[in-house]
Amino acid sequence: ITVSDLVDTSYKRISEVDDKVKAFLTLNEEAARAQAKALEESGQAGEALFGLPAGIKDNIVTKGLRTTCGSQFLSNFNDPLYDATVIQKLNAAKSITVGKLNMDEFAMGSSNENSSYFTTRNPWNTEHVPGGSSGGSGAAVASGQVLFALGSDTGGSIRQPAAFCGVVGLKPTYGRVSRFGLVAFASSLDQIGPVTRTVEDNARVLEIISGHDKMDSTSANIDVPKYTESLTGDVKGLKIAVPKEYLGEGVTEEVRNAVLEALKKYEALGAEWEEVSLPHSKYAVATYYLLSSSEASANLARFDGVRYGVRSPEAKNMIEMFKLSRSQGFGEEVKRRIMLGTFALSSGYYDAYYKKAQKVRTLIKQDFDNVFEKYDIILGPTTPTPAFKVGEKIADPLTMYANDILTIPVNLAGVPGISIPCGFSSEGLPIGLQLIGKHFDEGTVYRAAHAFE
Ligand code: GLN
């Protein structure tokens, strides 16, 4: 099999299924085929991801390849000047970018319905959402259009679509992967991570994209272990904590049963588990929406119709140009968050909202630290329910926000978390199992996930 065959297979699959799945916003066909040819002619095949077709979430900047963040505002951002660090690393490992994947606008959403282009569909049942915001990444991998994808996760956006689409998605420890070239949503929470079909593939991709980067001052200067070496299959004596808050109200019977079945399997493999408490979990959603919206309101100030994006043609002066470009360019959800965040940061309210939320964030992080003093892994569902229907939650932002209740605490604490498939609902939709590890201990997360597969 040649690299061109692999790339061919990917585009063939895209032409067969993507009019139904709608995962791709932009294809990179000409360049990808040329790259495949060049790799073949080079006659070398040493690099880790040699010739493997990849899809990239559209908030990761790709040189010369349109990057829209799922927003009409950036519909004309056709020619970015540089590659994100993760893209440079993938290029060095010789994977091939076949295209850019759909997402909720600026990564704000849990269903892909906030994309300002179209809604990606769940490949298992196209009446259902693929999850979000990396819904395109989950759907493209699940439907076999690419071998792996990159997503980004601020409050669950890799793990939740992975759960809904029945694939493997990892949010690394905050600082493990460079954010340089990831269009910022909430800088203290955002991380890029791999979406794959297997745990081993996931570990291989993370090995490539991780590491310190002088272009991202929040990237950690810590060695990157060989994650594939932790895939031993051995979980004897592994201490698993199951937070009671993660199996409580709102979690469906089917999801709970799937998780309990998973625990039985771990027991059979020689692991031990106990129930624990993460007592501040109930404040996580409110804390997250306050902090992430505050950070977003500052990060999205750069979209002004001057430096990036579509400029309103109707503006008669400079102030009107900012106002009209932003009010025409951003969608409803993005505007809602900018307004919420601007309010929370405004003088007179800062202490009552933003500062308080920061304090609660510390308490949530301490909950995790306490549990990790005694346990190796925290286990629970990734989401309270399997994939919901397109249209079911879009009218009510608060119900939509509540869907992330089990993934958000992980971002607030900065720890790594993976979602792996652990069964199906009676409707035939995948259920995701979430495994959460200590800071920079992706190795144990992968070991536990791999043993379960
Ligand atoms: N669904 C969450 C939100 O809307 C998380 C998004 C994300 O992780 N990017 O903010």
Side-chain angles (χ1 to χ4, degrees):
I1 187 165
T2 66
V3 179
S4 291
D5 291 339
L6 279 176
V7 171
D8 248 0
T9 311
S10 176
Y11 284 113
K12 189 150 165 275
R13 186 72 183 151
I14 292 171
S15 69
E16 281 163 9
V17 303
D18 210 44
D19 60 330
K20 291 182 236 53
V21 176
K22 301 191 195 170
F24 281 93
L25 283 168
T26 308
L27 292 178
N28 188 34
E29 189 158 355
E30 208 178 306
R33 287 189 188 279
Q35 204 186 335
K37 269 241 127 39
L39 283 184
E40 259 163 52
E41 283 160 12
S42 76
Q44 298 159 340
E47 290 83 1
L49 304 175
F50 191 87
L52 301 184
I56 306 296
K57 186 178 183 179
D58 211 20
N59 58 352
I60 298 173
V61 177
T62 42
K63 188 174 177 184
L65 179 60
R66 188 169 86 131
T67 300
T68 69
C69 294
S71 180
Q72 292 294 343
F73 210 156
L74 291 178
S75 55
N76 65 353
F77 191 33
N78 293 324
D79 204 7
L81 292 174
Y82 64 92
D83 276 320
T85 297
V86 291
I87 301 296
Q88 294 173 29
K89 286 173 180 273
L90 289 185
N91 288 342
K94 304 287 186 230
S95 70
I96 295 184
T97 299
V98 302
K100 301 297 291 288
L101 294 163
N102 199 17
M103 54 183 284
D104 289 290
E105 187 176 9
F106 289 105
M108 297 173 186
S110 311
S111 67
N112 228 272
E113 292 163 291
N114 294 337
S115 164
S116 65
Y117 295 89
F118 44 78
T119 301
T120 299
R121 300 295 171 134
N122 191 309
W124 295 88
N125 180 339
T126 53
E127 281 175 24
H128 290 252
V129 302
S133 62
S134 317
S137 307
V141 172
S143 57
Q145 303 188 56
V146 288
L147 276 172
F148 73 92
L150 294 186
S152 69
D153 191 314
T154 305
S157 277
I158 291 173
R159 289 160 288 153
Q160 187 253 25
F164 281 9
C165 294
V167 294
V168 178
L170 177 110
K171 182 205 83 84
T173 308
Y174 184 79
R176 180 87 279 181
V177 176
S178 168
R179 292 183 297 109
F180 179 69
L182 169 67
V183 178
F185 162 12
S187 316
S188 78
L189 300 158
D190 300 340
Q191 270 292 287
I192 296 171
V195 180
T196 56
R197 290 177 91 102
T198 68
V199 173
E200 183 180 345
D201 288 356
N202 208 284
R204 286 190 190 282
V205 177
L206 187 68
E207 259 172 41
I208 300 295
I209 64 171
S210 294
H212 180 245
D213 179 11
K214 65 177 190 316
M215 301 302 281
D216 172 6
S217 60
T218 64
S219 80
N221 202 346
I222 296 179
D223 284 346
V224 180
K226 281 241 165 268
Y227 295 119
T228 37
E229 284 171 8
S230 32
L231 309 179
T232 57
D234 181 11
V235 288
K236 254 186 226 82
L238 186 81
K239 291 196 174 59
I240 301 174
V242 181
K244 61 171 193 266
E245 292 82 4
Y246 284 27
L247 289 174
E249 209 189 319
V251 176
T252 67
E253 195 70 32
E254 285 183 319
V255 169
R256 187 176 307 124
N257 287 340
V259 171
L260 295 175
E261 282 303 312
L263 285 170
K264 279 193 198 145
K265 185 159 174 187
Y266 276 112
E267 274 179 0
L269 291 168
E272 301 155 20
W273 70 273
E274 275 175 346
E275 193 177 273
V276 298
S277 175
L278 296 169
H280 297 93
S281 298
K282 54 178 178 287
Y283 305 114
V285 171
T287 305
Y288 168 84
Y289 277 96
L290 224 135
L291 295 176
S292 65
S293 302
S294 299
E295 292 183 30
S297 72
N299 278 326
L300 271 58
R302 75 192 56 168
F303 300 104
D304 52 10
V306 179
R307 287 166 295 177
Y308 305 95
V310 178
R311 180 179 300 179
S312 171
E314 290 139 45
K316 290 186 212 63
N317 56 49
M318 193 176 71
I319 297 297
E320 256 185 49
M321 179 183 71
F322 295 150
K323 278 193 179 165
L324 288 173
S325 300
R326 285 171 70 82
S327 48
Q328 292 164 5
F330 289 133
E332 285 301 303
E333 182 63 24
V334 175
K335 285 181 195 162
R336 186 164 22 244
R337 308 250 185 141
I338 292 173
M339 284 166 67
L340 179 66
T342 307
F343 176 77
L345 291 178
S346 52
S347 86
Y349 295 99
Y350 181 92
D351 284 353
Y353 294 112
Y354 185 77
K355 204 165 160 195
K356 192 159 188 180
Q358 288 287 34
K359 289 181 176 169
V360 181
R361 180 177 186 172
T362 303
L363 295 174
I364 290 168
K365 184 176 166 295
Q366 283 168 359
D367 282 355
F368 281 90
D369 292 344
N370 291 339
V371 169
F372 281 131
E373 274 179 22
K374 278 180 62 190
Y375 299 89
D376 305 308
I377 282 283
I378 295 175
L379 179 151
T382 310
T383 56
T385 70
F388 45 89
K389 282 204 164 128
V390 174
E392 194 181 314
K393 293 187 199 281
I394 194 69
D396 183 358
L398 290 183
T399 348
M400 189 73 92
Y401 296 173
N403 197 260
D404 298 322
I405 192 156
L406 306 172
T407 47
I408 278 173
V410 174
N411 301 74
L412 291 171
V415 291
I418 200 169
S419 179
I420 56 173
C422 74
F424 290 91
S425 72
S426 54
E427 285 186 283
L429 291 163
I431 297 174
L433 181 72
Q434 184 173 212
L435 300 166
I436 302 163
K438 299 174 188 172
H439 285 104
F440 296 103
D441 193 13
E442 284 84 358
T444 302
V445 174
Y446 279 136
R447 176 160 65 92
H450 175 72
F452 180 80
E453 267 183 334

